[in-house]
Amino acid sequence: MSFRKVNIIILVLAVALFLLVLHHNFLGLSSLLRNEVSDSGIVGLQPVDFVPNAPQHAVDGRQEEIPVVIAASEDRLGGAIAAINSIQHNTRSSVIFYIVTLNGTGDHLRSWLSSSTLKSVRYKIVNFDTKLLEGKVKEDPDQGDSMKPLTFARFYLPILVPSAKKAIYMDDDVIVQGDILALYNTPLKPGHAAAFSEDCDSSSTKVVIRGAGNQYNYIGYLDYKKERIRKLSMKASTCSFNPGVFVANLTEWKRQNITSQLEKWMKLNVEEGLYSRTLAGSITTPPLLIVFYRQHSTIDPMWNVRHLGSSAGKRYSPQFVKAAKLLHWNGHFKPWGRTASYTDVWEKWYIPDPTGKFSLIRRHVEISNIK
């Protein structure tokens, strides 16, 4: 065999070996991507969608990705869409949305997010398994949140965002007017797993505090007649905080087993009725108040300007509303309804539902019908 033929054989073998290694690496990468998109090994929470290659704003390659968790029920889907649109529009940071839904909502949400205005949004849709709440929530017609499983999604942040060290949670009835990066960079004190906006110190509360009674204290959420609550030695006059917007240190959250602590108090409430009978706010608030008693940091109050969903919101000046970094329509009246304050500000970020299932309710519609 000539020297030239030997060289050709060696070259062919080298090329074949290179192609074999390349094929092996490609299979490994494909497997990794499949796991990222549809990893269903997490008990109770199943990622079902991911858009990883959508165009992004120009950002510094060293910048940390910002995970934002929002729960989106079918009847409030327009709220989540408006919130997402406002966040995406007002930041140049790399944001990924973890949208928590129940079965049946995913297809509707996906079609909405495919609209041209939202095509640059990066997101995961996560199905919430209601079995997680068995034995932890007692349905009470007087407490509407007890019948809305998604309101408890905030308790399970480390499962929703398993690879993140930090995340933002926010309700679906908000609009963000500032750069979400500023909220994400909220400093948390050592040992604190979350930062909330305290009710007594918030800019919005100062406008509506008169006549509030116990609405902004622990006694407005917990039954201090119960021995188990008294044994905690928490002052009844302690200022409460709003859990509709918060920043979480997920490393610390996992280290302290915050989710397990919250579940413990949920179960005890089912057994012993520990929450106040005249609950001042969401049913999710009492366990958070207990677990984070004097163990939480605070966010800038302008990052949770609330009460726009109540009559108190009408007291805000247009200048104050414009200066707010985040507007929160907590309360009975939602901005997609007919009686909330400053609905025009919210509607600026709303994108009509391409399927027509979700529609705004506006007062002028009623007037035109009367005529």
Side-chain angles (χ1 to χ4, degrees):
M1 184 179 294
S2 68
F3 182 76
R4 184 183 178 192
K5 288 182 178 180
V6 171
N7 283 342
I8 291 173
I9 292 172
I10 292 173
L11 179 62
V12 169
L13 290 174
V15 170
L17 181 61
F18 172 77
L19 291 174
L20 184 63
V21 171
L22 186 64
H23 179 67
H24 176 74
N25 288 341
F26 176 77
L27 289 177
L29 178 60
S30 298
S31 176
L32 177 63
L33 290 174
R34 282 198 302 272
N35 287 339
E36 184 178 20
V37 173
S38 59
D39 181 8
S40 58
I42 303 171
V43 178
L45 296 159
Q46 302 169 329
V48 297
D49 201 5
F50 185 38
V51 179
N53 298 316
Q56 299 178 50
H57 298 293
V59 295
D60 186 338
R62 296 168 295 177
Q63 185 179 311
E64 189 176 354
E65 188 174 70
I66 302 176
V68 177
V69 179
I70 298 180
S73 61
E74 182 71 25
D75 61 324
R76 299 164 61 108
L77 214 50
I81 290 292
I84 290 169
N85 188 33
S86 69
I87 293 169
Q88 184 77 2
H89 182 86
N90 287 306
T91 187
R92 294 182 62 81
S93 300
S94 177
V95 179
I96 178 167
F97 297 93
Y98 291 78
I99 310 170
V100 190
T101 68
L102 298 176
N103 284 327
T105 303
D107 288 341
H108 185 188
L109 179 58
R110 196 176 295 110
S111 67
W112 212 332
L113 288 167
S114 65
S115 65
S116 58
T117 308
L118 298 168
K119 277 187 176 178
S120 63
V121 172
R122 302 173 65 240
Y123 66 91
K124 283 186 179 181
I125 298 175
V126 184
N127 280 335
F128 187 80
D129 189 346
T130 56
K131 291 180 180 178
L132 285 169
L133 303 178
E134 288 181 358
K136 304 180 187 76
V137 180
K138 180 169 62 177
E139 290 193 1
D140 183 350
D142 295 329
Q143 295 176 345
D145 285 354
S146 68
M147 301 183 188
K148 298 176 182 177
L150 291 178
T151 194
F152 298 97
R154 70 197 82 193
F155 291 0
Y156 298 92
L157 288 182
I159 304 176
L160 291 167
V161 197
S163 59
K165 296 179 181 178
K166 194 176 181 182
I168 295 171
Y169 170 85
M170 59 179 60
D171 287 343
D172 57 10
D173 53 358
V174 306
I175 286 298
V176 172
Q177 300 185 136
D179 188 336
I180 197 72
L181 179 63
L183 178 61
Y184 185 73
N185 285 336
T186 297
L188 274 70
K189 295 178 181 178
H192 287 184
F196 301 91
S197 177
E198 294 197 349
D199 289 324
C200 304
D201 297 334
S202 74
S203 300
S204 49
T205 299
K206 290 175 182 177
V207 178
V208 298
I209 193 71
R210 286 176 295 179
N214 295 322
Q215 188 175 352
Y216 304 116
N217 299 320
Y218 269 47
I219 197 171
Y221 293 88
L222 299 166
D223 188 350
Y224 275 79
K225 294 178 181 178
K226 298 296 173 68
E227 183 180 2
R228 191 178 293 276
I229 295 297
R230 293 200 305 272
K231 281 184 176 180
L232 294 173
S233 299
M234 301 184 301
K235 289 186 177 180
S237 60
T238 302
C239 183
S240 56
F241 54 77
N242 180 272
V245 178
F246 64 90
V247 181
N249 178 335
L250 298 181
T251 302
E252 195 63 36
W253 189 294
K254 287 183 278 192
R255 189 187 71 79
Q256 297 182 31
N257 294 316
I258 297 294
T259 297
S260 296
Q261 291 188 57
L262 293 168
E263 289 182 324
K264 167 193 168 182
W265 288 104
M266 291 167 70
K267 291 176 183 176
L268 286 172
N269 177 62
V270 170
E271 297 166 3
E272 303 177 24
L274 302 178
Y275 304 165
S276 170
R277 292 185 180 180
T278 56
L279 197 62
S282 170
I283 194 173
T284 61
T285 304
L288 287 165
L289 293 180
I290 294 172
V291 173
F292 287 102
Y293 179 69
R294 293 184 175 175
Q295 287 294 321
H296 67 274
S297 298
T298 57
I299 64 175
D300 182 335
M302 293 303 280
W303 272 102
N304 193 358
V305 172
R306 43 200 183 273
H307 307 300
L308 287 161
S310 69
S311 58
K314 299 186 187 327
R315 302 181 193 175
Y316 298 148
S317 70
Q319 294 78 15
F320 178 69
V321 169
K322 185 177 181 180
K325 301 298 184 182
L326 182 147
L327 297 170
H328 190 179
W329 280 264
N330 62 314
H332 294 296
F333 310 126
K334 299 306 174 187
W336 49 87
R338 64 173 63 90
T339 51
S341 303
Y342 290 99
T343 55
D344 58 321
V345 178
W346 178 87
E347 200 166 336
K348 173 185 174 183
W349 302 107
Y350 174 72
I351 297 169
D353 182 1
T355 70
K357 294 178 182 178
F358 186 96
S359 58
L360 305 183
I361 302 173
R362 290 293 180 254
R363 190 180 297 275
H364 71 269
V365 173
E366 289 187 326
I367 295 171
S368 62
N369 289 338
I370 292 173
K371 292 179 180 179

